[in-house]
Amino acid sequence: MNSCPPLDLLQTWVTVVELESVSKAAIQLRISQAAVSQQVRSLEEIIGVPLLDRSFRPARPTPAGMRLYQDAGLLIEHASLLIGNARNVMRAKGTIVKIGCVDSFAATIGPQLVKGLSNSSLKITLWSGITPVLDEQMNNRMLDVAITTEGSTKRAGISRQKLFTENYFAVFPKDFALQPVENLIQLSHRLQFIRYSSRSVIGAQIQSYLDNLGVEIERNFEFDATDPLLSLVAAGLGWAIITPLCLWQSRHHLDDVTVIPLNRIRSLGKPCPPLERSFYMLWRKEELQKIPNYVKEIVNEVASRQLTKEISAKLNIEENQLFTFE
């Protein structure tokens, strides 16, 4: 009788194929590259066929290796389902749901989400953080549901659904005299650009946007969080590119700033193109029954009916310029 390979070896193989690299898989799994290579060889010995064609650089999965990747993903998914079912039995008298959200979501929509789910006899734990950390916590089963932005990865056994998209805006000090036809490069000389750090998804996205426009702006002020960034803008020390949820997260500064659409600023003689970021919900397939549907319904209700109206009224921006809902 053939023995079934251990799940940890199968998970290593799935990671190698998905990342297309033994070295990247080692980083993801937090083990040495030599350990990953040894686990792949052990798997080959157990199965009795080569999984990697090592005549290529980098090595490529053989047809047998690709078939194992497909079947292993299903097996790991079913194993996760077994764990999830067992957890659901333990939660029968009061389901505990651990939800992780990016900071701007947690501070704006998070409270209403907790309130709505609590009315369904659920016990909620809400964490906040940046997308890369939430992705890792989701993969390690520290979270049941994660609300992340476009940086989030798609992994075997984890469902991913877009919730909504928000547009970016430019924010200036209240008394800053914006020229009728403001040029992005000239603007960066008139007023310091205050940015999110590149280690955050939002910072990396804004930097990519500027790179695509061919604009280089000196790095002087960088922040991981919105509040210190917006406090400098409110104090007249610079301008920034920011989203509605981030603005609402630090709305105590809004009376001291001016918010305008990005197309009010020009680059290379044309209005700056739009920039947007999307929010996604991640959860494990078939583990939480109807809870993902509850989350989506509450988020859509809060964001589209309540938050959109409040932000639109405060910033004097049309509602349809703020968000797009699925």
Side-chain angles (χ1 to χ4, degrees), residues 3 20 28 35 59 61 68 90 96 131 141 159 171 181 199 228 235 238 251 273 295 314:
S3 61
E20 301 179 343
Q28 176 73 32
L68 179 64
M90 294 300 294
I96 301 172
T131 288
R141 289 195 163 273
S159 296
V171 57
V181 182
R199 65 182 178 181
R251 52 189 175 275
V295 171
K314 183 66 176 179

Side-chain angles (χ1 to χ4, degrees), residues 139-194:
N139 291 333
N140 293 338
R141 289 195 163 273
M142 297 173 66
L143 295 175
D144 298 308
V145 178
I147 309 296
T148 64
T149 52
E150 17 259 293
S152 57
T153 55
K154 187 174 182 179
R155 308 294 295 173
I158 295 180
S159 296
R160 182 172 183 257
Q161 182 177 22
K162 184 186 289 187
L163 296 174
F164 65 93
T165 299
E166 62 175 347
N167 293 312
Y168 279 84
F169 292 83
V171 57
F172 298 91
K174 194 72 172 181
D175 58 356
F176 180 72
L178 195 66
Q179 296 179 359
V181 182
E182 189 69 72
N183 180 278
L184 187 57
I185 296 178
Q186 293 174 345
L187 174 61
S188 65
H189 293 310
R190 294 178 59 206
L191 193 64
Q192 291 275 8
F193 181 60
I194 305 173

